[in-house]
Amino acid sequence: MKLGREHFSSDFAAVLAMAGSAIGLGNIWRFPYMTGQNGGAAFILIYIVCVFFLALPIFFAESVIGRTTQSNTFGAIRKIAPGSRLKWLGLLTVITPLVILSYYSVVGGWSVEYLFVSICSGFDEDVSSFFNEFTSSGVGPLACHTVFLLLTAFIVLEGVKSGIEKFNKVSIPVLFVLMLVIVAYSVTLPGSGPGISYMIRPDFSQITPRTFAYAMGQGFFSLSLGVGTVLTYSSYMGGRSGIVRAGIWTAVFDLTFAIIAGFAIMPAVFAAGIEPGAGPGLIFETLPYIFVKMGSGSAIISRAVAVLFFLTIVVAALTSSISMYEVGVAYLTEEKKMSRKKAVIVIFAFTWVLGAVCSVFSGAFSFCDSLTSNFLMTFGALLFVYLAGWKMDKSLVRKELYPAYSFVRYVAPPAIIAIFVTNFII
Ligand code: PFF
């Protein structure tokens, strides 16, 4: 093990950090909606199968690369394939998380604004106009993007143990508790029954080949695969850590949080008699409206729930954004020999500018989003699976990943290609 590299203090700390990267906006605004649209509990069952048999092998591939090479994404590829041109592809694995971080920080900024508004004044009924005016106002979202990115930078600046590990150790339990409080509020609202059955009723008639593609795509995004975050965090794991066990625990945390989020959101949406929508609208328009509407009986409680909800979103987004930030910092400190402070400043400058462009031009936002989710993440995953399954020392990888090795070698590559293709035809 290379001396001078910081490590997580235990395997459990590493699992919490990887769960922090996984748990994010994808669990809150995408999973509940997908479940409802694709057969409720039947979708959850398919999702579980996809996560454990198709997505986790990709996770293992990244993890075994990181833990074995004890390097950042670029350095890891150089070590596995010395002298090969693959190393230039390694640069892409540094760029991908920074592009995602840039637009993710814009949405993180919106959550900061919503947290602020729910604390200071609460929302009035016309939340949609508020959202549209705010996001097109220029200065407000830019300021919030700056605040969110600064928060991320401060945590990363503190280092692997005192920054990333400490923040996740506190945040993950807090996130679960906050979400459970919101579930308690949501399922006791009058009229929440249909929302609960929306989550638990298995409707197998809705299952089509498409359902598998959706479940796989969701698992891919939710576990933060193909971005290098899993690789980088795994490189901070000690030499004896169990990769398979850490991966399974991360997936269990991520899945449990997604299901709890479904039970927090859908019953409230149904209680308010609203059609559940996907994407930013669900969090930034529908839910605040519900908090206002439900406030007539117990305004204080609804307002408090709104504060807790947006706090959950800000914290969940931060635990993800620090993982992407760290990929860039690990690259600059190890490959370019920068101090951590300088690396944090350089990454801040890059992501602030790109995020500002995404904040002002919605076209740039969508472009970065689809570039990363449709191409770069898939490409990164394919690269990692190829390296772990076909380039690294076979006996070592087999020993580390047993019994998942054949999945990494034979199942993951066609699964990734299948998602790539279906993204275009669906
Ligand atoms: N997994 C995060 C979510 O579900 O919101 C999103 C994400 C985080 C994607 C980190 C990629 C990444 F590197």
Side-chain angles (χ1 to χ4, degrees):
M1 194 182 302
K2 208 165 122 191
L3 281 175
R5 249 181 143 253
E6 257 199 291
H7 283 82
F8 289 122
S9 52
S10 65
D11 280 7
F12 187 61
V15 167
L16 286 184
M18 292 197 270
S21 174
I23 293 172
L25 300 168
N27 304 57
I28 303 171
W29 87 24
R30 218 162 151 228
F31 179 81
Y33 165 79
M34 288 219 141
T35 303
Q37 290 288 298
N38 295 287
F43 177 81
I44 297 182
L45 285 178
I46 291 173
Y47 181 69
I48 292 174
V49 173
C50 284
V51 163
F52 284 96
F53 292 95
L54 302 177
L56 258 184
I58 306 171
F59 187 104
F60 295 148
E62 273 197 48
S63 198
V64 77
I65 296 173
R67 218 219 53 199
T68 310
T69 59
Q70 296 283 302
S71 291
N72 64 88
T73 52
F74 185 82
I77 296 172
R78 203 192 44 224
K79 281 186 186 167
I80 295 172
S84 117
R85 273 189 225 128
L86 277 179
K87 114 174 169 191
W88 297 111
L89 294 179
L91 267 187
L92 271 186
T93 62
V94 178
I95 291 168
T96 307
L98 300 185
V99 175
I100 302 178
L101 175 61
S102 305
Y103 67 79
Y104 208 83
S105 166
V106 173
V107 183
W110 298 347
S111 327
V112 169
E113 164 74 7
Y114 270 63
L115 175 60
F116 189 70
V117 170
S118 46
I119 292 172
C120 296
S121 57
F123 294 94
D124 62 30
E125 288 225 0
D126 197 2
V127 190
S128 288
S129 310
F130 174 83
F131 180 67
N132 292 331
E133 272 165 32
F134 170 69
T135 49
S136 54
S137 70
V139 181
L142 263 187
C144 293
H145 156 58
T146 311
V147 170
F148 183 84
L149 201 54
L150 274 175
L151 288 173
T152 310
F154 280 126
I155 299 166
V156 175
L157 184 63
E158 285 301 307
V160 174
K161 247 192 212 149
S162 354
I164 296 171
E165 176 175 324
K166 227 185 203 170
F167 186 73
N168 280 300
K169 262 188 178 162
V170 176
S171 300
I172 300 298
V174 167
L175 282 176
F176 274 89
V177 171
L178 287 177
M179 236 351 154
L180 285 170
V181 170
I182 301 166
V183 171
Y185 166 81
S186 197
V187 298
T188 49
L189 288 173
S192 61
I196 299 172
S197 46
Y198 184 89
M199 285 296 297
I200 57 178
R201 195 191 52 232
D203 181 359
F204 288 100
S205 69
Q206 302 246 1
I207 304 299
T208 62
R210 234 177 239 202
T211 317
F212 288 86
Y214 287 145
M216 186 60 201
Q218 171 65 16
F220 203 90
F221 185 78
S222 198
L223 283 177
S224 317
L225 302 175
V227 186
T229 51
V230 177
L231 192 161
T232 306
Y233 274 180
S234 299
S235 77
Y236 301 139
M237 283 166 89
R240 288 171 178 274
S241 311
I243 291 172
V244 173
R245 202 169 35 165
I248 291 175
W249 273 111
T250 305
V252 168
F253 274 116
D254 186 46
L255 183 69
T256 312
F257 191 81
I259 294 174
I260 296 176
F263 280 100
I265 290 170
M266 286 308 153
V269 169
F270 275 79
I274 294 174
E275 265 298 294
L282 179 64
I283 297 188
F284 295 109
E285 296 177 64
T286 312
L287 284 164
Y289 171 78
I290 292 169
F291 295 137
V292 175
K293 212 176 150 193
M294 296 296 158
S296 50
S298 48
I300 304 275
I301 293 183
S302 290
R303 178 93 170 267
V305 171
V307 172
L308 294 184
F309 182 72
F310 287 108
L311 181 65
T312 308
I313 294 183
V314 170
V315 175
L318 275 173
T319 57
S320 293
S321 63
I322 54 178
S323 69
M324 296 182 256
Y325 210 116
E326 180 63 22
V327 177
V329 168
Y331 167 74
L332 291 178
T333 50
E334 290 170 13
E335 301 298 316
K336 302 288 165 200
K337 308 291 172 225
M338 281 184 195
S339 65
R340 182 166 266 271
K341 190 170 172 190
K342 191 166 173 203
V344 166
I345 294 171
V346 170
I347 301 292
F348 186 89
F350 178 88
T351 46
W352 187 85
V353 171
L354 187 58
V357 174
C358 291
S359 175
V360 176
F361 302 104
S362 61
F365 186 109
S366 316
F367 175 75
C368 288
D369 179 14
S370 77
L371 176 73
T372 47
S373 10
N374 294 334
F375 294 99
L376 295 178
M377 286 176 84
T378 331
F379 169 76
L382 211 47
L383 180 66
F384 294 138
V385 163
Y386 169 68
L387 290 171
W390 298 87
K391 274 302 237 190
M392 282 175 78
D393 176 12
K394 208 168 157 179
S395 55
L396 182 141
V397 178
R398 188 184 282 147
K399 190 169 134 246
E400 291 288 349
L401 297 189
Y402 183 80
Y405 178 65
S406 327
F407 279 86
V408 172
R409 201 166 150 92
Y410 301 110
V411 180
I416 297 167
I417 293 169
I419 313 178
F420 183 71
V421 173
T422 41
N423 269 346
F424 283 94
I425 48 182
I426 289 180

